């Protein structure tokens, strides 16, 4: 690991102002330290924001579920408020990582985890536009059973690995940003497509940090779920992740609101508006759900090894939606 | 060039006051600075759970924790779970009874994780135990014995 200066920040302002352009914020550190050991991340300064006061609250106000950036994944997942008002959010956290990592990793850090593939993680592969802009992509033409089918570019096909953000994007959550000035971003706008600049993953400056997230509490967020299909039963990245939320008209039959997003298959948390559009106004029954779920792969481009997901994605979407039916 | 940091934390009730390279992990601090060799370095990347310890009462991975992050915290390692008179922790006793190890390398991490698993209330069913012990790998395949030991220590 490359040597670095270490600074414990006591205030948000101090954290934002400290260090150089090569510094990084340290919260739980579960991804950052791993990537530093791999030689992928090489900050010259770590600003430890783990002790900043007042950023670990979990509560609701004004129709929003409000979670501080430093709340631990395990604490948020176990929160009775979160489980009751937004079950998908709790599920996405419980099905992520391991119990130990969930006790360390924070909500803000979870959102800042790098989009990464095995080639990115191993500097023995020199070609990685995400690690070294302009160097090429070792994954393209490589072994790619879990690389992205959606949102990929000729520069990068790494899959966004997180679960939480898939739920946040589906539920139109808001990311609160602090630093020099406070501002907010829609969760969907927080993740950048790789395009020609896969090294840029979020539209925030290096002196900005996440203060928290707000999730609108709606009838759909109450009726939400996160389904994670994976190779191992636990402690494994998603092969396909599906966040789904539904609200029905007063007739109890017709879909009023559908919110669906995918993880494990795209370069960013991937909202599937074609599925949502196909559901709205239709009866919430198996035929309509299966028909709508087929449009989840609109725009997908496969590699040599990941075409199996063309079958898997619609089935996973349908399974998630079916679990939200009254008689499920 | 190294960058020194001052950290002070409590390990198994004893004060640990060290000036150290910023890169020092809690795992290496325990093993190399404090000579507490019970906590094991397996993968050193947060994948195997052999380095599991408790910080402020919660199980964490000491390999992905900087020693500097432990500043002001209470750390408990496998050396700190038995009674002062040498009486083993009930989960240690259950591991012996159920032959819950072969090579033993993962065992300290398994026990630290298992103690937390029971305290969290995640040992009510064998499925729960499997799910909430998924961050600890046993490559010898003693998993059946590990589950039996946790089940017994949980009072089922």
């Amino acid at each position: 690991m490359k040597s670095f200066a270490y600074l414990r920040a006591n205030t948000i302002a101090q954290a934002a102002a400290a260090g150089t352009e090569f510094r990084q914020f340290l919260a739980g550190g579960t991804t950052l330290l791993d990537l530093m050991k791999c030689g992928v991340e090489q900050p010259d300064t770590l600003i430890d924001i783990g002790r900043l006061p007042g950023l670990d609250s979990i509560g609701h106000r004004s129709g929003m579920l409000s979670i501080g950036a430093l709340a631990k994944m395990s604490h948020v997942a176990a929160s009775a408020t979160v489980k009751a008002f937004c079950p998908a959010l709790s599920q996405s956290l419980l099905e992520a990582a391991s119990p130990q990592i969930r006790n360390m990793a924070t909500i803000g850090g979870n959102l800042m985890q790098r989009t990464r593939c095995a080639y990115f993680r191993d500097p023995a592969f020199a070609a990685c536009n995400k690690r070294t802009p302009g160097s090429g992509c070792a994954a393209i033409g490589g072994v790619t059973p879990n690389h992205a089918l959606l949102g990929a570019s000729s520069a990068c096909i790494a899959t966004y690995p997180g679960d939480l953000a898939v739920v946040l994007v589906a539920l139109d959550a808001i990311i609160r940003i602090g630093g020099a000035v406070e501002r907010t971003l829609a969760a969907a706008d927080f993740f950048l497509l790789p395009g020609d600049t896969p090294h840029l993953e979020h539209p925030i400056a290096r002196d900005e940090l996440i203060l928290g997230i707000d999730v609108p509490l709606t009838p759909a967020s109450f009726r939400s779920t996160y389904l994670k299909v994976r190779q191992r039963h636990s402690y494994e990245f998603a092969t396909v992740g599906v966040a789904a939320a539904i609200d029905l008209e007063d007739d109890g039959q017709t879909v009023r609101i559908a919110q669906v997003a995918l993880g494990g298959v795209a370069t960013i948390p991937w909202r599937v508006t074609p599925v949502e559009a196909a559901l709205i106004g239709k009866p919430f029954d198996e035929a309509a759900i299966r028909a709508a779920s087929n449009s989840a792969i609109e725009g997908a481009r496969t590699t040599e090894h990941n075409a199996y997901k063309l079958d898997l994605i619609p089935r996973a979407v349908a399974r998630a939606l079916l679990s939200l039916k009254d008689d499920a | 060039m190294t960058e020194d940091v001052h950290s002070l934390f409590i390990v198994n009730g004893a004060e640990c006051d060290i000036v150290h390279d910023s890169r020092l992990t809690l795992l290496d601090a325990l093993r190399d600075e404090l000579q507490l060799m019970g906590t094991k370095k397996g993968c050193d990347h947060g994948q195997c759970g052999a380095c599991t310890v408790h910080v402020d009462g919660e199980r964490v991975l000491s390999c992905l924790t900087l020693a500097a992050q432990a500043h002001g915290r209470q750390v408990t390692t496998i050396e700190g779970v038995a009674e002062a008179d040498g009486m083993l922790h009930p989960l240690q006793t259950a591991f012996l009874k159920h032959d819950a190890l072969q090579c033993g390398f993962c065992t300290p991490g398994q026990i630290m994780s298992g103690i937390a698993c029971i305290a969290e209330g995640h040992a009510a069913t064998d499925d729960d135990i499997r799910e909430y012990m998924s961050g600890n790998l046993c490559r010898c395949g003693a998993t059946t014995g590990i589950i039996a030991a946790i089940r017994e220590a949980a009072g089922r």
Side-chain angles (χ1 to χ4, degrees):
Chain A
M1 197 190 303
K2 185 170 157 278
S3 185
F4 56 86
Y6 172 88
L7 175 74
R8 291 182 187 113
N10 297 312
T11 65
I12 294 166
Q14 185 192 22
T20 70
E21 64 173 309
F22 300 111
R23 57 78 178 277
Q24 296 250 23
F25 294 124
L26 172 71
T30 54
T31 299
L32 180 55
L33 238 60
D34 172 49
L35 291 177
M36 288 168 68
K37 289 182 181 190
C38 293
V40 173
E41 296 279 10
Q42 302 190 337
D44 68 359
T45 309
L46 280 189
I47 319 272
D48 188 347
I49 58 171
R51 290 157 208 270
L52 291 180
L55 289 182
D56 62 353
S57 61
I58 305 166
H60 60 96
R61 57 169 189 221
S62 326
M64 291 276 189
L65 181 64
S66 194
I67 301 171
L70 293 179
K72 298 287 169 63
M73 287 172 71
S74 58
H75 297 181
V76 178
S79 155
T81 305
V82 175
K83 283 195 217 174
F85 294 151
C86 193
L89 206 158
S90 176
Q91 290 162 0
S92 73
L93 290 167
L94 276 180
E95 300 203 7
S98 70
Q100 292 96 316
I101 290 174
R102 295 196 293 268
N103 278 343
M104 305 165 72
T106 66
I107 295 300
N110 183 289
L111 296 178
M112 291 302 294
Q113 69 177 302
R114 296 300 305 269
T115 295
R116 54 200 189 272
C117 78
Y119 297 100
F120 167 76
R121 206 168 165 278
D122 186 352
F125 294 95
C128 177
N129 290 320
K130 188 180 278 295
R131 199 178 342 104
T132 310
S135 62
C137 175
I140 294 175
V143 181
T144 55
N146 229 15
H147 282 73
L149 294 77
L150 294 157
S153 72
S154 58
C156 183
I157 59 171
T159 301
Y160 176 76
D163 300 293
L164 167 69
V166 179
V167 174
L168 298 183
V169 165
L171 297 181
D172 294 317
I174 293 157
I175 318 286
R176 282 183 279 115
I177 314 276
V181 288
E182 292 199 14
R183 64 189 180 110
T184 60
L185 278 171
D189 295 333
F190 186 73
F191 298 92
L192 300 175
L193 284 165
D196 296 329
T197 53
H199 59 293
L200 303 176
E201 296 177 358
H202 309 287
I204 60 172
R206 293 189 80 81
D207 60 355
E208 290 186 304
L209 64 164
I210 299 172
L211 300 181
I213 57 172
D214 291 330
V215 186
L217 296 177
T218 66
S221 73
F222 280 75
R223 193 170 188 163
S224 65
T225 190
Y226 183 73
L227 170 70
K228 187 170 180 177
V229 178
R230 43 188 162 169
Q231 299 277 352
R232 289 191 297 201
H233 192 267
S234 182
Y235 197 15
E236 175 66 289
F237 292 110
T239 303
V240 183
V242 184
I246 287 290
D247 184 33
L248 301 181
E249 299 285 1
D250 293 339
D251 64 6
Q253 297 282 329
T254 312
V255 177
R256 174 166 30 209
I257 292 171
Q259 295 172 298
V260 186
L262 302 177
V265 295
T267 53
I268 56 173
W270 193 260
R271 187 89 180 244
V272 275
T273 45
V275 175
E276 299 173 357
L279 280 170
I280 290 168
K282 299 280 178 7
F284 194 51
D285 59 24
E286 179 160 359
I289 286 170
R290 293 217 177 266
S293 299
N294 286 331
S295 51
I297 54 172
E298 234 173 64
R301 286 187 306 171
T302 60
T303 67
E304 188 184 346
H305 305 117
N306 66 10
Y308 70 99
K309 294 196 182 186
L310 292 177
D311 290 330
L312 195 56
I313 293 167
R315 290 175 192 170
V317 170
R319 199 169 123 203
L321 287 165
L322 287 168
S323 77
L324 295 175
K325 277 167 56 70
D326 281 329
D327 54 1
Chain B
M1 186 186 79
T2 63
E3 305 269 0
D4 285 342
V5 184
H6 176 215
S7 299
L8 197 167
F9 46 93
I10 308 293
V11 180
N12 302 330
E15 198 172 274
C16 170
D17 189 347
I18 51 174
V19 173
H20 59 86
D21 187 305
S22 57
R23 293 169 289 186
L24 185 75
T25 61
L26 176 58
L27 172 61
D28 288 339
L30 294 170
R31 292 181 57 85
D32 298 344
E33 304 285 327
L34 304 179
Q35 312 304 315
L36 292 171
M37 300 298 184
T39 307
K40 295 294 186 277
K41 181 183 284 194
C43 70
D44 206 26
H45 284 276
Q47 297 170 0
C48 74
C51 68
T52 301
V53 300
H54 297 180
V55 171
D56 287 349
E58 294 193 326
R59 51 176 158 163
V60 301
L61 300 170
S62 60
C63 79
L64 290 184
T65 304
L66 288 176
Q69 288 175 284
H71 181 68
R73 312 282 191 210
Q74 298 261 0
V75 181
T76 306
T77 71
I78 189 68
E79 290 90 346
V81 301
E83 300 293 332
D85 64 2
M87 167 102 79
L88 292 180
H89 185 282
L91 187 57
Q92 291 176 304
T93 305
F95 262 62
L96 290 173
K97 176 178 168 186
H98 291 281
D99 206 11
L101 58 139
Q102 183 180 317
C103 83
F105 192 83
C106 74
T107 309
Q110 297 280 2
I111 289 176
M112 296 311 290
S113 203
I115 290 171
C117 180
I118 294 167
E120 293 160 6
H122 291 143
T125 66
D126 286 4
D127 279 350
D128 262 5
I129 295 173
R130 286 188 194 95
E131 172 61 36
Y132 284 90
M133 290 299 289
S134 67
N136 293 79
L137 305 184
C138 170
R139 296 203 295 189
C140 300
T143 313
T144 307
I146 292 169
I147 292 168
I150 293 173
R151 183 196 302 131
E152 175 166 314
R156 288 203 291 121

